[in-house]
Amino acid sequence: MAARRKHTYTSVSETNGSAPITAGMPGGTIKPATSSARRSPFLPTRLEALLISIYPATLLMGSIISTISPASRAAPYSADSQSHPPEFAPSYFALKKNVFNVYFVKIGWFWATLAFAMFVLMHPGFGRGLSARRARAVLRYTVVTTWWVLVTQWCFGPPLIDRGFKLTGGACELARDPLARAEMSDTKEFITAATCKAVGGSWKGGHDISGHVFLLIMGSSLLWLEFLPALTRVEGLRDGRLITLPDGKVASVSVEKEVQKPEGEATARGVKFALGVAALMWWMLLMTAAYFHTWFEKFTGLAVAFAGLYTVYFAPRGVPAMRAYLGMPGV
């Protein structure tokens, strides 16, 4: 597939023999100072900000549901298990063993990875073979996945969630074994929540960042931040994004965009599957917000997820060196 730059940079003779990178660009592609002063390249467009706001709004909506629902108000809540006891669960989705939680949320990163792979492999906008656009998309996925691993799986030992729990006073107390129960005053600590629960312990006492909220926001955002710029022509998701050029000027992302020759219709399978996974993740985020965790645990899950997403999808717009490796979706 042939690919060419949308704009050709021409050399301009100057007294010092060099020309700025923007010298040969059409005037309309470079934002004037008044425009760049209104919005920094490090900030999302208005449409992106609106889409991102869906996540805190969903958490708020879930909290409202749990507050106004008579069944939720009547059901006791266990701070240790971070859920309602099964016998008092106000909804099927309030059960930890509901089929969506067991086979979708618990292995949520597998579904996000599968959806991402189908989209990147099947969409013709990435070109043929290991194109630069496809390679950068895979690199973005790798960085996001690395953040997910560090937060929830392993961070040179316990993951960041477990490290934060212990730093805020949390510990593992054995509760199942009768002999251990007699020694409850002597706190038994295990290195992670998983090992604690595996030996019948109770992970309690500290602040537990909501891993479900973190995973569901990271997974669904990874998908829509990748496929929306490739599928829509809405300016707020494409050319309305601003970037900082190597010479320090602020311009529309269109100056770095490649014009791709169409190679056929985009397959609907990869797109529909990714949309389906993202939609189900949003629904399970709403159910998590309604029936699991405290408000502060959900908020910190949101904040940690946004930190990773901002680093990969927004910071490179203002840092040309980062953008050279990570690129931008749809560019």
Side-chain angles (χ1 to χ4, degrees):
M1 180 192 69
R4 62 180 178 83
R5 288 289 179 184
K6 190 172 183 180
H7 303 291
T8 302
Y9 304 156
T10 59
S11 60
V12 178
S13 298
E14 296 185 350
T15 55
N16 60 2
S18 63
I21 192 171
T22 54
M25 297 180 187
T29 64
I30 304 176
K31 299 293 181 181
T34 55
S35 176
S36 61
R38 286 198 300 268
R39 179 168 60 84
S40 166
F42 289 100
L43 298 178
T45 65
R46 289 183 180 179
L47 181 55
E48 287 175 326
L50 180 62
L51 291 172
I52 291 171
S53 68
I54 290 174
Y55 291 112
T58 299
L59 296 182
L60 179 61
M61 187 188 309
S63 297
I64 293 174
I65 291 174
S66 65
T67 301
I68 66 176
S69 169
S72 295
R73 292 202 309 269
Y77 181 84
S78 171
D80 292 339
S81 65
Q82 300 165 336
S83 63
H84 298 282
E87 61 272 22
F88 299 105
S91 165
Y92 174 73
F93 288 99
L95 295 170
K96 285 190 172 183
K97 292 186 178 180
N98 77 74
V99 65
F100 296 99
N101 190 52
V102 173
Y103 296 106
F104 183 75
V105 178
K106 292 291 186 182
I107 54 173
W109 207 251
F110 163 78
W111 292 108
T113 299
L114 182 60
F116 173 83
M118 290 182 65
F119 172 69
V120 170
L121 291 175
M122 294 181 177
H123 197 276
F126 290 98
R128 292 178 179 174
L130 189 59
S131 63
R133 184 176 287 189
R134 181 171 282 116
R136 286 169 178 160
V138 172
L139 182 57
R140 289 192 296 271
Y141 162 81
T142 301
V143 176
V144 172
T145 299
T146 300
W147 182 236
W148 169 75
V149 170
L150 292 174
V151 172
T152 66
Q153 305 298 310
W154 175 86
C155 182
F156 305 96
L160 293 178
I161 284 181
D162 289 346
R163 289 180 183 273
F165 184 85
K166 295 187 72 175
L167 285 174
T168 54
C172 178
E173 293 182 346
L174 291 177
R176 182 178 297 174
D177 185 83
L179 295 177
R181 187 184 296 273
E183 300 176 359
M184 285 294 285
S185 58
D186 298 326
T187 302
K188 303 294 184 179
E189 294 192 0
F190 288 83
I191 197 167
T192 67
T195 55
C196 174
K197 294 174 182 177
V199 296
S202 178
W203 194 242
K204 59 170 59 176
H207 174 71
D208 189 18
I209 298 172
S210 175
H212 277 34
V213 168
F214 169 79
L215 181 148
L216 293 169
I217 291 177
M218 286 288 289
S220 58
S221 296
L222 165 72
L223 295 177
W224 73 256
L225 283 170
E226 288 290 343
F227 65 65
L228 284 183
L231 299 177
T232 181
R233 298 187 181 277
V234 178
E235 183 179 2
L237 296 173
R238 291 174 64 89
D239 294 351
R241 297 172 292 176
L242 300 181
I243 59 172
T244 299
L245 299 172
D247 63 0
K249 292 186 177 180
V250 175
S252 165
V253 70
S254 61
V255 303
E256 292 188 346
K257 188 175 296 184
E258 294 179 349
V259 177
Q260 304 286 336
K261 288 186 177 180
E263 296 184 353
E265 294 296 326
T267 176
R269 287 177 296 175
V271 172
K272 288 183 177 179
F273 184 74
L275 284 170
V277 170
L280 185 54
M281 283 188 167
W282 173 83
W283 173 254
M284 293 309 297
L285 177 65
L286 178 62
M287 295 298 98
T288 298
Y291 301 119
F292 300 96
H293 290 282
T294 65
W295 170 250
F296 189 53
E297 289 169 347
K298 289 178 281 192
F299 171 77
T300 50
L302 170 77
V304 175
F306 274 8
L309 293 169
Y310 182 85
T311 301
V312 175
Y313 289 102
F314 297 98
R317 301 180 186 184
V319 184
M322 290 180 65
R323 195 168 64 251
Y325 292 97
L326 294 175
M328 291 174 60
V331 177

